């Protein structure tokens, strides 16, 4: 084989380079620009979502409603030492209600209280008319359950006296209220709130020091 044939064979074996058209390059440029614009728009969208999320999180931390705080300040059962005290029995209590929210007010549309002894209700009555409680304020709720609101008989009073001789008579004060939260001009839906306050009195019928100013559990239904 001659040298010319060898050169010709080598030349034929090399791949043929294809030249792209102007339309091809225009489409590549268009696709590149579209991808860049899409990436920029996605980045802007994600940044907006992040900023909005942070703003809402901060607002939620500052405006999320806290439950009212209830503390029993006073609770007395006068005449506990009398054998016939049930005939003119009275139960007097004093409770503080604290709205600890910074920017949220609370509407109390209703409030009623009940006193229980050994899980048996012995008295019940409305406590306060509807009222509004401003943020960072405390309201005092006091009431006396007398003959008209107490259901006591000699047997129940004798149980009181038996516990009194042991040094402690334990009661439970339940408060039920329908409330709404208020932020500026916005008002929430109604929430039914329950407060359970266990309290004990001594032989003199007055609240024992260990039970005074004790915080009461609060829950909603």
């Amino acid at each position: 084989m001659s040298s010319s044939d060898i050169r010709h064979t080598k030349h034929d074996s090399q791949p043929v380079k294809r030249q792209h058209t102007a339309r091809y390059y225009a489409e590549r440029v268009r696709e590149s620009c579209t991808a860049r614009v899409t990436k920029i728009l996605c980045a802007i969208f994600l940044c907006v979502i992040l900023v909005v999320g942070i703003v809402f999180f901060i607002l939620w931390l500052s405006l999320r409603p806290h439950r009212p705080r209830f503390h029993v300040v006073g609770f007395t059962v006068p005449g506990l030492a009398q054998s016939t005290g049930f005939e003119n029995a009275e139960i007097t209590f004093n409770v503080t209600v604290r709205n600890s929210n910074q920017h949220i007010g609370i509407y109390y549309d209703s409030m009623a209280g009940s006193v229980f002894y050994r899980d048996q209700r012995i008295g019940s009555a409305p406590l306060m008319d509807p009222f509004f409680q401003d943020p960072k304020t405390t309201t005092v709720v006091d009431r006396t359950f007398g003959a008209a609101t107490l259901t006591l008989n000699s047997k129940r009073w004798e149980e009181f006296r038996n516990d009194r001789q042991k040094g402690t008579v334990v009661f439970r004060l339940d408060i039920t209220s329908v409330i709404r939260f208020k932020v500026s001009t916005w008002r929430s839906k109604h929430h039914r709130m329950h407060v359970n306050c266990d309290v004990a009195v001594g032989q003199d019928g007055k609240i024992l020091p260990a039970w005074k100013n004790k915080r009461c559990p609060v829950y909603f239904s």
Side-chain angles (χ1 to χ4, degrees):
M1 180 180 294
S2 63
S3 60
S4 60
D5 292 337
I6 294 174
R7 288 195 300 270
H8 185 267
T9 303
K10 289 183 179 180
H11 177 75
D12 292 342
S13 63
Q14 292 178 353
V16 178
K17 295 183 179 179
R18 297 180 180 180
Q19 299 295 327
H20 296 296
T21 63
R23 181 178 179 182
Y24 170 81
Y25 288 109
E27 290 180 354
R28 289 294 300 273
V29 171
R30 189 182 304 112
E31 291 176 357
S32 177
C33 291
T34 302
R36 290 181 180 179
V37 171
T38 302
K39 290 180 179 180
I40 293 174
L41 291 177
C42 289
I44 294 174
F45 180 72
L46 292 175
C47 289
V48 170
I49 291 180
L50 179 62
V51 171
V52 171
I54 293 174
V55 170
F56 272 102
F57 180 70
I58 294 174
L59 289 175
W60 178 79
L61 287 178
S62 61
L63 296 179
R64 60 174 178 169
H66 296 287
R67 301 178 182 187
R69 297 177 181 177
F70 287 74
H71 294 83
V72 178
V73 177
F75 193 98
T76 60
V77 187
L80 192 60
Q82 301 175 10
S83 59
T84 58
F86 70 94
E87 296 177 354
N88 57 354
E90 287 185 353
I91 294 179
T92 301
F93 61 86
N94 187 313
V95 177
T96 60
V97 185
R98 175 71 176 174
N99 178 8
S100 60
N101 292 287
Q102 186 72 38
H103 304 289
I104 301 176
I106 302 176
Y107 284 101
Y108 293 83
D109 295 324
S110 67
M111 183 179 288
S114 300
V115 177
F116 290 79
Y117 172 75
R118 295 184 179 179
D119 293 329
Q120 297 294 320
R121 186 166 60 183
I122 59 175
S124 181
L127 297 182
M128 295 185 69
D129 294 329
F131 67 96
F132 175 75
Q133 190 177 38
D134 290 310
K136 293 295 182 180
T137 59
T138 301
T139 303
V140 177
V141 178
D142 52 10
R143 178 67 192 247
T144 296
F145 287 177
T149 51
L150 289 176
T151 55
L152 292 175
N153 52 33
S154 58
K155 180 180 179 181
R156 181 66 70 191
W157 194 259
E158 188 63 28
E159 292 175 347
F160 288 177
R161 286 170 50 80
N162 291 337
D163 286 345
R164 172 185 172 275
Q165 291 178 357
K166 299 176 184 177
T168 303
V169 186
V170 180
F171 297 91
R172 188 177 82 245
L173 173 63
D174 283 8
I175 298 176
T176 304
S177 182
V178 177
I179 68 172
R180 291 174 294 157
F181 296 101
K182 176 181 179 293
V183 181
S184 185
T185 59
W186 175 84
R187 293 172 177 81
S188 73
K189 65 179 182 179
H190 290 87
H191 300 275
R192 190 171 184 82
M193 182 179 64
H194 302 269
V195 184
N196 294 331
C197 304
D198 291 327
V199 60
V201 300
Q203 293 184 346
D204 58 356
K206 297 181 180 180
I207 186 172
L208 294 172
W211 298 81
K212 193 172 184 179
N213 295 319
K214 188 176 180 180
R215 186 172 175 178
C216 307
V218 177
Y219 64 95
F220 293 94
S221 63

